[in-house]
Each structure stands twice: as C-alpha cells, then as structure tokens.
Amino acid sequence: MREVEWARMTAPELRAIAMKENALAILPIGSLEQHGPHLPVITDTASALAAAVRAAQLVAEEVPVAVLPGLWLGLSEHHLPFGGTISIDYETLNKILVCIVRSLKALGFDRLLIVNGHGGNVEPLAVSVRELSVEYGLPIVSCLPWGSAREEMEKIFDVDQGCQHACEGETSVMLAIAPQTVRADQFDMACVDQTHPLGPPLAGTRFFSFAELAPITGTFGDPRTATAEKGERFLDLQAAELVKLVQHEFLWTTPDPVWRPRRGLQYT
C-alpha cells in the first residue's frame, strides 16, 4: 500500500507529491481534552487521523496526497474543569492554520482538506477556512466525519443515537485503533444517568462548560456497547465520505477573489 502519512515520508518524496497536478494535503485536527474516565485525552485527534489516513489510502493511486500529523490543539475550554485538557483560542488556531496554509502554498500543494474530530473546532474552522481560501487563492475544505452520512452512521449504533462525547462511537473507534488506551473497567463509571439540562434544542445558545452540561462524568453516551468491529465500520464509513469530498470537482475549484472590482456582471 502506498505511503500517505507525511511524518513517515522524506522531503524529496513529499516534494514529488506536491509537484503533481491537484496535489492534496490533508490536515487532521482534534483536541487534547478529557474524555471521561475510560478514554484517552487524544481521542478526537486520533480518530480524525485514522479516518484521514484510511481515506487517503483509498485514493492514493489516483490522487497525489499526503496526510499531515494530527494537530492536537483545539478550542476545548469547555472541558477544562475536568482536568487533562489543553486549549487554545481562536486567534491562535487561526495563526497556526495561516502558517500551515502558507507553507503548503510554498511547497506547491494545490488544495487542503481539514478533517476535524472535535465539535469545538467546527465554528472556528468555518471562519478560518472561508478567510484563508480567499486570501491564499487555495481551495480549503473543512469537514466533520462524525457529522456525515448520519442515517448510515445511526445503523451502526446500538444504544446511542449518534456520536456524543466519549460515547459508543468514539469508544468503538479507539478500541479499533488503540485498544490499549481504553479503560474498559471504567465504562460503568461513565454511564451515570445524566439528563441534559437544556432539554430539547433551543433557538438560542451561549457558552457552556461540560461542568454545567455533564457535571458528574464529563461525558454523554454509553460506551458499554462499544466494540472494535463497530469502530472499523465507523472508520470505513467516514473514509468513504471523505473520498466523496476529495472526488467532488466543484469543491476544489479556485476560490473566487471576491475583493477584486466587479465590472460588467449581467443579471438575467
């Protein structure tokens, strides 16, 4: 199988990839944050990296691609009360992305796919991707694998209704890729009955820490039904959805330089 992980390749090998037409860099991003008593704090980053590598391996014969090491810093201040969490702010995240995009542009890569494994990064990434795409004239796409193919994803779950936090889904993935890091003897500790204080979805929102939302365990979901086999199925499904993004031609057209003067536009 062709090597796709940036960290495992040499500079000449990466230069050869970057010089090919439509060269694609993939950046997995997650967090370093508490995931209850049973999962390691690297869970979001590890799952994003696993999905990204699996997708890259599926397209490597047709697409020049390299998967960057997982970026383990994200916006995780809502998990700080439980310990084990390192968080950055939006300004820092954006500056890191600026440096990565600028470097990729200099190296010759034509496009960037950001594979996000952490819910707290969704809104910040949306803003950064929008601004950096225009500023650098580089197609940049951000996605949340756990948010894709929801109907197919729900069929894999036995108890949870979708990915939550340190739940059946995330635990299954970690059992598949790093079983030695999962504390199965702590599953019951993570399943104290907690009612979400907000109830049904509301039209308004504000910042909430997990100490407010899940004060007992810092988790949502039931890891007790997690299995490595489910984890493989989750990753296969996520990888397939990422391949669809890679192969979607319109996503990768050059961003419109919206700040240039517009003359002669015709409206019909």
PDB file of all heavy atoms in Angstrom, residues 218-241:
ATOM      1  N   GLY A 218     -18.588  14.264  32.805  1.00  0.00           N
ATOM      2  CA  GLY A 218     -17.970  14.976  31.692  1.00  0.00           C
ATOM      3  C   GLY A 218     -18.161  14.276  30.368  1.00  0.00           C
ATOM      4  O   GLY A 218     -17.452  14.546  29.393  1.00  0.00           O
ATOM      5  N   THR A 219     -19.132  13.372  30.311  1.00  0.00           N
ATOM      6  CA  THR A 219     -19.363  12.598  29.089  1.00  0.00           C
ATOM      7  C   THR A 219     -20.850  12.554  28.761  1.00  0.00           C
ATOM      8  O   THR A 219     -21.704  12.776  29.610  1.00  0.00           O
ATOM      9  CB  THR A 219     -18.871  11.150  29.244  1.00  0.00           C
ATOM     10  OG1 THR A 219     -19.675  10.473  30.226  1.00  0.00           O
ATOM     11  CG2 THR A 219     -17.410  11.112  29.685  1.00  0.00           C
ATOM     12  N   PHE A 220     -21.142  12.225  27.504  1.00  0.00           N
ATOM     13  CA  PHE A 220     -22.502  11.915  27.063  1.00  0.00           C
ATOM     14  C   PHE A 220     -22.431  10.662  26.204  1.00  0.00           C
ATOM     15  O   PHE A 220     -21.580  10.550  25.330  1.00  0.00           O
ATOM     16  CB  PHE A 220     -23.109  13.062  26.245  1.00  0.00           C
ATOM     17  CG  PHE A 220     -23.609  14.205  27.075  1.00  0.00           C
ATOM     18  CD1 PHE A 220     -23.023  15.452  26.971  1.00  0.00           C
ATOM     19  CD2 PHE A 220     -24.662  14.043  27.961  1.00  0.00           C
ATOM     20  CE1 PHE A 220     -23.472  16.522  27.735  1.00  0.00           C
ATOM     21  CE2 PHE A 220     -25.122  15.103  28.729  1.00  0.00           C
ATOM     22  CZ  PHE A 220     -24.519  16.342  28.614  1.00  0.00           C
ATOM     23  N   GLY A 221     -23.329   9.723  26.437  1.00  0.00           N
ATOM     24  CA  GLY A 221     -23.339   8.499  25.665  1.00  0.00           C
ATOM     25  C   GLY A 221     -22.964   7.296  26.517  1.00  0.00           C
ATOM     26  O   GLY A 221     -22.552   7.426  27.669  1.00  0.00           O
ATOM     27  N   ASP A 222     -23.108   6.127  25.905  1.00  0.00           N
ATOM     28  CA  ASP A 222     -22.906   4.865  26.631  1.00  0.00           C
ATOM     29  C   ASP A 222     -21.815   4.043  25.948  1.00  0.00           C
ATOM     30  O   ASP A 222     -22.033   3.467  24.879  1.00  0.00           O
ATOM     31  CB  ASP A 222     -24.215   4.080  26.654  1.00  0.00           C
ATOM     32  CG  ASP A 222     -24.166   2.870  27.556  1.00  0.00           C
ATOM     33  OD1 ASP A 222     -23.047   2.423  27.892  1.00  0.00           O
ATOM     34  OD2 ASP A 222     -25.239   2.367  27.928  1.00  0.00           O
ATOM     35  N   PRO A 223     -20.622   3.971  26.537  1.00  0.00           N
ATOM     36  CA  PRO A 223     -19.527   3.225  25.914  1.00  0.00           C
ATOM     37  C   PRO A 223     -19.624   1.710  26.110  1.00  0.00           C
ATOM     38  O   PRO A 223     -18.842   0.960  25.524  1.00  0.00           O
ATOM     39  CB  PRO A 223     -18.294   3.777  26.640  1.00  0.00           C
ATOM     40  CG  PRO A 223     -18.790   4.114  28.006  1.00  0.00           C
ATOM     41  CD  PRO A 223     -20.191   4.629  27.789  1.00  0.00           C
ATOM     42  N   ARG A 224     -20.553   1.233  26.908  1.00  0.00           N
ATOM     43  CA  ARG A 224     -20.579  -0.187  27.278  1.00  0.00           C
ATOM     44  C   ARG A 224     -20.863  -1.100  26.099  1.00  0.00           C
ATOM     45  O   ARG A 224     -20.508  -2.287  26.141  1.00  0.00           O
ATOM     46  CB  ARG A 224     -21.599  -0.410  28.396  1.00  0.00           C
ATOM     47  CG  ARG A 224     -21.192   0.218  29.723  1.00  0.00           C
ATOM     48  CD  ARG A 224     -22.280   0.111  30.775  1.00  0.00           C
ATOM     49  NE  ARG A 224     -23.460   0.883  30.409  1.00  0.00           N
ATOM     50  CZ  ARG A 224     -24.505   1.070  31.217  1.00  0.00           C
ATOM     51  NH1 ARG A 224     -24.517   0.530  32.426  1.00  0.00           N
ATOM     52  NH2 ARG A 224     -25.539   1.794  30.819  1.00  0.00           N
ATOM     53  N   THR A 225     -21.509  -0.585  25.062  1.00  0.00           N
ATOM     54  CA  THR A 225     -21.807  -1.413  23.887  1.00  0.00           C
ATOM     55  C   THR A 225     -20.778  -1.223  22.774  1.00  0.00           C
ATOM     56  O   THR A 225     -20.968  -1.709  21.661  1.00  0.00           O
ATOM     57  CB  THR A 225     -23.214  -1.095  23.350  1.00  0.00           C
ATOM     58  OG1 THR A 225     -23.305   0.315  23.085  1.00  0.00           O
ATOM     59  CG2 THR A 225     -24.276  -1.475  24.360  1.00  0.00           C
ATOM     60  N   ALA A 226     -19.698  -0.517  23.053  1.00  0.00           N
ATOM     61  CA  ALA A 226     -18.671  -0.265  22.043  1.00  0.00           C
ATOM     62  C   ALA A 226     -17.884  -1.539  21.743  1.00  0.00           C
ATOM     63  O   ALA A 226     -17.617  -2.347  22.637  1.00  0.00           O
ATOM     64  CB  ALA A 226     -17.721   0.825  22.535  1.00  0.00           C
ATOM     65  N   THR A 227     -17.502  -1.698  20.472  1.00  0.00           N
ATOM     66  CA  THR A 227     -16.656  -2.822  20.056  1.00  0.00           C
ATOM     67  C   THR A 227     -15.683  -2.348  18.989  1.00  0.00           C
ATOM     68  O   THR A 227     -15.944  -1.369  18.272  1.00  0.00           O
ATOM     69  CB  THR A 227     -17.474  -3.985  19.470  1.00  0.00           C
ATOM     70  OG1 THR A 227     -18.089  -3.553  18.243  1.00  0.00           O
ATOM     71  CG2 THR A 227     -18.554  -4.457  20.440  1.00  0.00           C
ATOM     72  N   ALA A 228     -14.587  -3.049  18.856  1.00  0.00           N
ATOM     73  CA  ALA A 228     -13.620  -2.727  17.804  1.00  0.00           C
ATOM     74  C   ALA A 228     -14.228  -2.915  16.418  1.00  0.00           C
ATOM     75  O   ALA A 228     -13.927  -2.165  15.478  1.00  0.00           O
ATOM     76  CB  ALA A 228     -12.374  -3.597  17.968  1.00  0.00           C
ATOM     77  N   GLU A 229     -15.101  -3.925  16.284  1.00  0.00           N
ATOM     78  CA  GLU A 229     -15.741  -4.169  14.989  1.00  0.00           C
ATOM     79  C   GLU A 229     -16.590  -2.976  14.571  1.00  0.00           C
ATOM     80  O   GLU A 229     -16.578  -2.562  13.403  1.00  0.00           O
ATOM     81  CB  GLU A 229     -16.598  -5.437  15.089  1.00  0.00           C
ATOM     82  CG  GLU A 229     -17.248  -5.859  13.784  1.00  0.00           C
ATOM     83  CD  GLU A 229     -18.625  -5.245  13.541  1.00  0.00           C
ATOM     84  OE1 GLU A 229     -19.273  -4.848  14.527  1.00  0.00           O
ATOM     85  OE2 GLU A 229     -19.024  -5.140  12.364  1.00  0.00           O
ATOM     86  N   LYS A 230     -17.327  -2.386  15.516  1.00  0.00           N
ATOM     87  CA  LYS A 230     -18.093  -1.169  15.207  1.00  0.00           C
ATOM     88  C   LYS A 230     -17.148  -0.035  14.837  1.00  0.00           C
ATOM     89  O   LYS A 230     -17.431   0.760  13.927  1.00  0.00           O
ATOM     90  CB  LYS A 230     -18.945  -0.750  16.403  1.00  0.00           C
ATOM     91  CG  LYS A 230     -20.140  -1.627  16.686  1.00  0.00           C
ATOM     92  CD  LYS A 230     -20.897  -1.064  17.894  1.00  0.00           C
ATOM     93  CE  LYS A 230     -21.979  -2.008  18.344  1.00  0.00           C
ATOM     94  NZ  LYS A 230     -22.644  -1.539  19.585  1.00  0.00           N
ATOM     95  N   GLY A 231     -16.026   0.051  15.546  1.00  0.00           N
ATOM     96  CA  GLY A 231     -15.063   1.096  15.245  1.00  0.00           C
ATOM     97  C   GLY A 231     -14.563   1.017  13.820  1.00  0.00           C
ATOM     98  O   GLY A 231     -14.419   2.039  13.132  1.00  0.00           O
ATOM     99  N   GLU A 232     -14.287  -0.193  13.339  1.00  0.00           N
ATOM    100  CA  GLU A 232     -13.856  -0.373  11.959  1.00  0.00           C
ATOM    101  C   GLU A 232     -14.951   0.070  10.990  1.00  0.00           C
ATOM    102  O   GLU A 232     -14.675   0.698   9.955  1.00  0.00           O
ATOM    103  CB  GLU A 232     -13.491  -1.835  11.708  1.00  0.00           C
ATOM    104  CG  GLU A 232     -12.260  -2.318  12.435  1.00  0.00           C
ATOM    105  CD  GLU A 232     -10.977  -1.690  11.896  1.00  0.00           C
ATOM    106  OE1 GLU A 232     -10.992  -1.172  10.766  1.00  0.00           O
ATOM    107  OE2 GLU A 232      -9.967  -1.716  12.614  1.00  0.00           O
ATOM    108  N   ARG A 233     -16.184  -0.233  11.319  1.00  0.00           N
ATOM    109  CA  ARG A 233     -17.288   0.161  10.450  1.00  0.00           C
ATOM    110  C   ARG A 233     -17.455   1.682  10.428  1.00  0.00           C
ATOM    111  O   ARG A 233     -17.692   2.276   9.362  1.00  0.00           O
ATOM    112  CB  ARG A 233     -18.583  -0.508  10.911  1.00  0.00           C
ATOM    113  CG  ARG A 233     -18.601  -2.010  10.703  1.00  0.00           C
ATOM    114  CD  ARG A 233     -19.788  -2.664  11.401  1.00  0.00           C
ATOM    115  NE  ARG A 233     -21.062  -2.211  10.842  1.00  0.00           N
ATOM    116  CZ  ARG A 233     -22.250  -2.449  11.415  1.00  0.00           C
ATOM    117  NH1 ARG A 233     -22.293  -3.106  12.578  1.00  0.00           N
ATOM    118  NH2 ARG A 233     -23.359  -2.018  10.851  1.00  0.00           N
ATOM    119  N   PHE A 234     -17.330   2.315  11.594  1.00  0.00           N
ATOM    120  CA  PHE A 234     -17.399   3.771  11.640  1.00  0.00           C
ATOM    121  C   PHE A 234     -16.296   4.384  10.771  1.00  0.00           C
ATOM    122  O   PHE A 234     -16.550   5.305   9.981  1.00  0.00           O
ATOM    123  CB  PHE A 234     -17.248   4.271  13.081  1.00  0.00           C
ATOM    124  CG  PHE A 234     -18.480   4.127  13.930  1.00  0.00           C
ATOM    125  CD1 PHE A 234     -18.414   3.467  15.158  1.00  0.00           C
ATOM    126  CD2 PHE A 234     -19.702   4.640  13.527  1.00  0.00           C
ATOM    127  CE1 PHE A 234     -19.545   3.336  15.955  1.00  0.00           C
ATOM    128  CE2 PHE A 234     -20.837   4.517  14.312  1.00  0.00           C
ATOM    129  CZ  PHE A 234     -20.755   3.856  15.538  1.00  0.00           C
ATOM    130  N   LEU A 235     -15.080   3.885  10.910  1.00  0.00           N
ATOM    131  CA  LEU A 235     -13.952   4.444  10.155  1.00  0.00           C
ATOM    132  C   LEU A 235     -14.094   4.188   8.655  1.00  0.00           C
ATOM    133  O   LEU A 235     -13.773   5.066   7.842  1.00  0.00           O
ATOM    134  CB  LEU A 235     -12.641   3.859  10.671  1.00  0.00           C
ATOM    135  CG  LEU A 235     -12.187   4.380  12.035  1.00  0.00           C
ATOM    136  CD1 LEU A 235     -10.995   3.583  12.538  1.00  0.00           C
ATOM    137  CD2 LEU A 235     -11.842   5.872  11.971  1.00  0.00           C
ATOM    138  N   ASP A 236     -14.584   3.015   8.284  1.00  0.00           N
ATOM    139  CA  ASP A 236     -14.798   2.731   6.863  1.00  0.00           C
ATOM    140  C   ASP A 236     -15.821   3.692   6.267  1.00  0.00           C
ATOM    141  O   ASP A 236     -15.649   4.197   5.146  1.00  0.00           O
ATOM    142  CB  ASP A 236     -15.270   1.293   6.669  1.00  0.00           C
ATOM    143  CG  ASP A 236     -14.140   0.277   6.785  1.00  0.00           C
ATOM    144  OD1 ASP A 236     -12.961   0.677   6.699  1.00  0.00           O
ATOM    145  OD2 ASP A 236     -14.441  -0.924   6.975  1.00  0.00           O
ATOM    146  N   LEU A 237     -16.894   3.940   7.012  1.00  0.00           N
ATOM    147  CA  LEU A 237     -17.932   4.850   6.536  1.00  0.00           C
ATOM    148  C   LEU A 237     -17.395   6.276   6.442  1.00  0.00           C
ATOM    149  O   LEU A 237     -17.631   6.980   5.443  1.00  0.00           O
ATOM    150  CB  LEU A 237     -19.141   4.793   7.466  1.00  0.00           C
ATOM    151  CG  LEU A 237     -20.337   5.678   7.111  1.00  0.00           C
ATOM    152  CD1 LEU A 237     -20.831   5.380   5.708  1.00  0.00           C
ATOM    153  CD2 LEU A 237     -21.460   5.492   8.127  1.00  0.00           C
ATOM    154  N   GLN A 238     -16.673   6.722   7.447  1.00  0.00           N
ATOM    155  CA  GLN A 238     -16.104   8.064   7.419  1.00  0.00           C
ATOM    156  C   GLN A 238     -15.109   8.217   6.274  1.00  0.00           C
ATOM    157  O   GLN A 238     -15.094   9.241   5.577  1.00  0.00           O
ATOM    158  CB  GLN A 238     -15.442   8.371   8.759  1.00  0.00           C
ATOM    159  CG  GLN A 238     -16.428   8.508   9.902  1.00  0.00           C
ATOM    160  CD  GLN A 238     -15.758   8.697  11.245  1.00  0.00           C
ATOM    161  OE1 GLN A 238     -14.536   8.842  11.332  1.00  0.00           O
ATOM    162  NE2 GLN A 238     -16.538   8.688  12.313  1.00  0.00           N
ATOM    163  N   ALA A 239     -14.279   7.210   6.068  1.00  0.00           N
ATOM    164  CA  ALA A 239     -13.310   7.271   4.976  1.00  0.00           C
ATOM    165  C   ALA A 239     -14.008   7.359   3.626  1.00  0.00           C
ATOM    166  O   ALA A 239     -13.589   8.120   2.737  1.00  0.00           O
ATOM    167  CB  ALA A 239     -12.393   6.049   5.025  1.00  0.00           C
ATOM    168  N   ALA A 240     -15.073   6.588   3.452  1.00  0.00           N
ATOM    169  CA  ALA A 240     -15.823   6.627   2.196  1.00  0.00           C
ATOM    170  C   ALA A 240     -16.414   8.012   1.951  1.00  0.00           C
ATOM    171  O   ALA A 240     -16.428   8.511   0.806  1.00  0.00           O
ATOM    172  CB  ALA A 240     -16.928   5.575   2.211  1.00  0.00           C
ATOM    173  N   GLU A 241     -16.906   8.662   3.007  1.00  0.00           N
ATOM    174  CA  GLU A 241     -17.457  10.005   2.862  1.00  0.00           C
ATOM    175  C   GLU A 241     -16.360  11.017   2.543  1.00  0.00           C
ATOM    176  O   GLU A 241     -16.562  11.956   1.758  1.00  0.00           O
ATOM    177  CB  GLU A 241     -18.184  10.410   4.146  1.00  0.00           C
ATOM    178  CG  GLU A 241     -19.463   9.633   4.410  1.00  0.00           C
ATOM    179  CD  GLU A 241     -20.479   9.793   3.288  1.00  0.00           C
ATOM    180  OE1 GLU A 241     -20.815  10.948   2.954  1.00  0.00           O
ATOM    181  OE2 GLU A 241     -20.912   8.774   2.743  1.00  0.00           O
TER     182      GLU A 241
END
